[in-house]
Amino acid sequence: MGRNAQGELTSIWTPANVITCIRICFIPVFMLLATQSRDVAGALTQPALAIGACILYILLSLTDKLDGSLARKRNEITDFGKFLDPIADKLLVFSALLLLLADGYVNVWFVFIILFREFLVSALRMVASAAGEVIAADKLGKAKTAVTMVSLCGFYVSFALTSLGVATLSEWILGISQALMIAAVVLTVVSGLQYFWNARKVVFRV
């Protein structure tokens, strides 16, 4: 990855941005594995595909913070990365949520609330940025993201175990994942309200 004589970046293809792009490219692969692991009735009939979907989703989730941390550590923060990283994060969450919704594991209102919050925060950040202000992610927002990702990973661990016939452990993990999803929705609402409150002076500025 090149820099000019002044040490400035000369390419958007930093290691962090490459990781982000790889993450986006593998999201459809995860979705394909997850959907093909079930038959038309929704039953898990392909253990290898269910396990593959589980492992891939966990790996993609673990890279969620890797690209940002790598960019900061190497001092390679780019506008391209700022644009792409949030998109990758949202695609990773909503790809799993939509599949879970289609299979009846999450409520449609859960998906709506999470989606509405993402639109709200994105809009608030755009308005704040135009006003020369930055609305940084707070602890509640980070907690919401962490709980959501753990919950989603738990669902797919449960599905992988179900496909292997480990029913008791699978049901236990599924119950925990559903409880964490409810907690994630609560955190989504609270953190969304906090973002709005923090940006109130910008939103209601004449």
Side-chain angles (χ1 to χ4, degrees):
M1 204 286 305
R3 292 178 182 268
N4 60 21
Q6 289 73 39
E8 298 172 336
L9 293 175
T10 58
S11 172
I12 62 172
W13 297 113
T14 65
N17 289 344
V18 170
I19 291 174
T20 304
C21 290
I22 291 174
R23 181 149 50 104
I24 291 175
C25 289
F26 272 96
I27 290 173
V29 178
F30 151 71
M31 296 181 71
L32 183 63
L33 290 173
T35 54
Q36 293 301 309
S37 67
R38 298 176 180 273
D39 60 20
V40 292
L44 288 161
T45 57
Q46 300 292 332
L49 297 182
I51 294 170
C54 172
I55 293 173
L56 182 56
Y57 195 80
I58 290 173
L59 290 175
L60 293 174
S61 299
L62 291 175
T63 65
D64 180 36
K65 299 300 179 184
L66 176 61
D67 44 10
S69 299
L70 189 61
R72 289 188 293 271
K73 182 178 180 180
R74 294 171 57 92
N75 193 27
E76 294 175 347
I77 298 174
T78 64
D79 289 338
F80 180 69
K82 292 178 183 178
F83 163 76
L84 201 62
D85 185 59
I87 292 177
D89 296 343
K90 291 172 178 56
L91 283 175
L92 185 60
V93 169
F94 283 104
S95 63
L97 279 175
L98 291 174
L99 291 177
L100 292 174
L101 178 63
D103 292 328
Y105 287 98
V106 296
N107 189 289
V108 65
W109 288 104
F110 287 7
V111 180
F112 174 78
I113 290 170
I114 295 172
L115 183 62
F116 178 76
R117 188 263 189 195
E118 293 301 331
F119 276 121
L120 175 66
V121 172
S122 295
L124 289 175
R125 283 178 168 161
M126 287 175 61
V127 172
S129 178
E133 298 187 24
V134 176
I135 303 178
D138 55 20
K139 292 182 179 179
L140 272 177
K142 293 178 180 178
K144 180 271 303 181
T145 300
V147 173
T148 302
M149 295 307 299
V150 171
S151 172
L152 293 173
C153 288
F155 276 105
Y156 285 96
V157 169
S158 172
F159 299 156
L161 291 173
T162 297
S163 69
L164 292 172
V166 189
T168 302
L169 181 58
S170 172
E171 291 175 3
W172 183 71
I173 293 176
L174 181 61
I176 293 176
S177 300
Q178 291 171 329
L180 286 174
M181 181 55 65
I182 294 173
V185 172
V186 173
L187 287 170
T188 294
V189 173
V190 175
S191 65
L193 291 173
Q194 186 177 60
Y195 271 110
F196 189 82
W197 178 255
N198 292 341
R200 66 191 184 282
K201 294 181 180 179
V202 176
V203 174
F204 296 110
R205 180 179 298 169
V206 177

